[in-house]
Amino acid sequence: MTYGNNYDNNYDGSDNRQDDEGGERGIGRFFGRGDDSQKQQHSGPQQSQYGQQQQGYGQHGQGYGQQQGYGQQHPGGNMVGGYQQGGNMPGGDYSQEEIEKSERNAKYKDWGTKAGIAALGVAALGAAAYGIHEYRENKEEEEAEERRKEQEAEQEKQREEEHRREEERRREEEERHRQEQANNQHGGWNQHPPSTDSAYGYHPKPQQQQYDDGGFCPPSPYGRPPYTFQQDDVRHPDPSRSSDNSPTPHEYPKLHGASDHVIKIGSVISLKHNMTGRFLHTDRSHSTSTGSNQQLVFGFRWNPDENDWWQVLPANRDVPVPGSVVSFGTQIRLRHVETGRHLHSHYNYHEGRSGQNEVTAYGDSMQSDENDHWVVEKWGEGAYGQTWTQGEVIVLRHYVSGMALHSHDIMISDDVQSVTCFGRGNEENDKWRIQLD
């Protein structure tokens, strides 16, 4: 039986119910479909059409499983614009609405796929952005930590520098206080109240003494017997009062001139012999001929030249501040400005003409011993504790031997007047005056 004959026998078009039943028995049973859209599609005028279906290629053919069509829609198949071979596939009839719905579903599926891909891309971008954000935050935190450490190191460095400066100020204040105490107690900042048993200096508050003939008698050096002023009473310098391991600075600023005429540490002065008028002089071209072979000191001419200037410095192991006022009774050193050597005397070597202890220029800024120490006194009275000023007649007493810087009219050669260390400092030939540069 052909599909056309079957459909005609079961569908009479009398009413809707019969139409439904006919559709179920005919089209529905054969193709497995029987909805309202199909019933509407096959009702009415289509009856005679379905009753006239012919056999052939591209039309509804005979037999179940042998439906064929190409490019057309048939009641027994749902192929539109394509080729379908029935075979064992369940039959069905699709309306235009369902086809459109299917297409829409396919589009929705395609859009969903694309949306999913887009969502994955957005998620990936978000993850990348988050990773970049985290990296930047971590980098900024590391940089901030590095800056914090640098700031802490700089602050620590500043604290250490401030502590160092504070410590320097404290030491300077302690030294200034110590010097003030020394000035108040001993008439000078370096009278050496002994810090150890081997330290030498004047007794605290040295007493003003007079010889029987009325001359000034200097106090005994600390820890040593009184001076005898004899050349055979040989005395040696204390090694602990040399420049070795001394806290005394090697250099002091040079002070030229003074409106108050006060002699200070660092002052540059010349010494004029009161009796002969010649200035204390040394240079590199004159040396002693008595065995020490040191640079000769002598009196030279009546006007000062560049080799007549000496700088006032503290004794070894004293540390006064630059510009400290020098009082009578203070131990000082005199450094020759031109050659850098110190005014010096010693035993065992005597000046050839007079036989008295020779005076030389010895050492340098790095080498100095106690034989370079001289005590400045006001002639005839000592005046320990009083300020040393320009114009006063003074005595320079060699601290180790106790004898005075001395000169006389004995000439070694032309314009070379003998200078020695001799006597107790009460002669006219022991008088000197100073001039400020």
Side-chain angles (χ1 to χ4, degrees):
M1 175 188 291
T2 64
Y3 173 77
N5 295 335
N6 186 43
Y7 187 87
D8 291 339
N9 291 334
N10 287 281
Y11 180 74
D12 58 7
S14 61
D15 55 30
N16 291 337
R17 178 171 185 162
Q18 290 176 350
D19 180 72
D20 291 341
E21 290 176 355
E24 291 177 359
R25 288 191 299 269
I27 299 172
R29 289 176 183 175
F30 188 80
F31 294 104
R33 305 213 18 126
D35 52 23
D36 292 340
S37 62
Q38 291 171 338
K39 292 172 186 177
Q40 184 177 358
Q41 182 179 357
H42 298 100
S43 64
Q46 294 179 350
Q47 178 177 4
S48 60
Q49 179 182 356
Y50 283 106
Q52 296 176 3
Q53 294 292 331
Q54 299 298 323
Q55 294 182 0
Y57 193 69
Q59 299 177 346
H60 183 77
Q62 275 187 321
Y64 179 78
Q66 304 213 345
Q67 178 187 355
Q68 293 180 347
Y70 185 81
Q72 297 181 0
Q73 177 179 349
H74 303 278
N78 196 25
M79 181 65 191
V80 178
Y83 177 81
Q84 175 180 349
Q85 182 173 356
N88 292 325
M89 295 178 61
D93 198 6
Y94 293 91
S95 67
Q96 185 65 27
E97 180 181 355
E98 289 180 332
I99 293 172
E100 292 175 354
K101 183 177 179 181
S102 177
E103 291 175 351
R104 284 195 302 271
N105 289 338
K107 290 180 181 179
Y108 294 158
K109 183 176 180 181
D110 183 58
W111 292 346
T113 302
K114 292 179 179 178
I117 294 172
L120 290 175
V122 170
L125 290 175
Y130 178 77
I132 293 172
H133 173 72
E134 288 294 310
Y135 171 78
R136 288 178 177 174
E137 280 194 347
N138 292 337
K139 186 67 174 178
E140 290 174 356
E141 289 177 358
E142 291 176 359
E143 291 176 351
E145 180 68 15
E146 187 67 23
R147 287 193 298 270
R148 185 186 65 78
K149 290 180 179 179
E150 290 177 356
Q151 291 174 355
E152 289 181 353
E154 183 64 24
Q155 291 173 357
E156 181 64 21
K157 184 178 179 181
Q158 292 176 356
R159 285 193 293 270
E160 291 178 356
E161 180 65 17
E162 182 62 27
H163 178 73
R164 183 187 66 79
R165 292 177 181 175
E166 184 63 29
E167 188 66 19
E168 287 181 355
R169 287 193 292 268
R170 184 187 64 79
R171 288 197 297 268
E172 289 176 359
E173 185 63 27
E174 288 180 354
E175 180 60 28
R176 189 178 299 109
H177 181 66
R178 185 188 69 80
Q179 292 171 5
E180 289 175 356
Q181 287 183 327
N183 283 332
N184 293 334
Q185 293 180 359
H186 313 303
W189 36 257
N190 71 342
Q191 294 307 311
H192 296 286
S195 57
T196 65
D197 293 339
S198 62
Y200 291 92
Y202 286 105
H203 289 298
K205 296 182 180 179
Q207 300 298 317
Q208 301 293 320
Q209 301 180 27
Q210 299 288 329
Y211 289 112
D212 294 340
D213 57 7
F216 171 71
C217 178
S220 302
Y222 186 81
R224 302 180 186 181
Y227 294 124
T228 64
F229 312 111
Q230 301 296 320
Q231 287 181 277
D232 56 0
D233 181 16
V234 176
R235 302 185 180 209
H236 300 286
D238 180 3
S240 69
R241 297 193 65 204
S242 70
S243 57
D244 293 340
N245 300 317
S246 173
T248 306
H250 298 300
E251 303 284 348
Y252 272 80
K254 294 180 177 65
L255 305 179
H256 298 274
S259 58
D260 55 4
H261 306 293
V262 174
I263 314 304
K264 304 177 180 69
I265 291 298
S267 293
V268 177
I269 65 173
S270 61
L271 292 97
K272 184 176 184 177
H273 189 241
N274 198 60
M275 283 295 293
T276 64
R278 294 181 183 268
F279 284 89
L280 193 69
H281 180 102
T282 188
D283 55 48
R284 292 184 176 87
S285 61
H286 292 82
S287 299
T288 62
S289 59
T290 57
S292 67
N293 200 34
Q294 296 177 4
Q295 192 167 292
L296 181 66
V297 172
F298 54 95
F300 183 72
R301 296 184 180 174
W302 298 274
N303 293 310
D305 66 13
E306 66 276 6
N307 285 309
D308 295 341
W309 298 103
W310 306 78
Q311 185 184 20
V312 178
L313 297 176
N316 290 310
R317 306 201 68 78
D318 287 334
V319 194
V321 296
S324 298
V325 173
V326 180
S327 301
F328 290 125
T330 300
Q331 293 180 57
I332 63 170
R333 291 178 296 160
L334 292 174
R335 180 180 293 166
H336 191 240
V337 173
E338 186 66 21
T339 65
R341 301 188 183 280
H342 302 104
L343 187 66
H344 180 93
S345 186
H346 43 223
Y347 288 96
N348 301 325
Y349 296 103
H350 305 139
E351 193 274 318
R353 296 291 184 90
S354 65
Q356 298 168 0
N357 287 356
E358 70 178 11
V359 175
T360 65
Y362 176 73
D364 53 35
S365 62
M366 303 296 293
Q367 183 181 7
S368 177
D369 63 19
E370 199 179 30
N371 276 331
D372 301 336
H373 293 187
W374 301 81
V375 180
V376 58
E377 300 173 351
K378 189 173 183 177
W379 190 86
E381 57 182 290
Y384 285 13
Q386 296 181 20
T387 299
W388 179 19
T389 60
Q390 182 181 13
E392 294 182 291
V393 178
I394 65 168
V395 171
L396 284 176
R397 188 177 304 279
H398 189 241
Y399 180 69
V400 174
S401 67
M403 291 185 272
L405 184 67
H406 180 93
S407 190
H408 35 227
D409 57 4
I410 298 175
M411 304 298 291
I412 299 174
S413 62
D414 291 343
D415 285 333
V416 179
Q417 180 175 291
S418 171
V419 173
T420 63
C421 191
F422 175 77
R424 65 186 192 184
N426 60 341
E427 298 183 12
E428 291 293 325
N429 282 331
D430 301 331
K431 294 180 179 179
W432 299 82
R433 294 179 184 271
I434 65 106
Q435 289 185 9
L436 290 166
D437 181 18

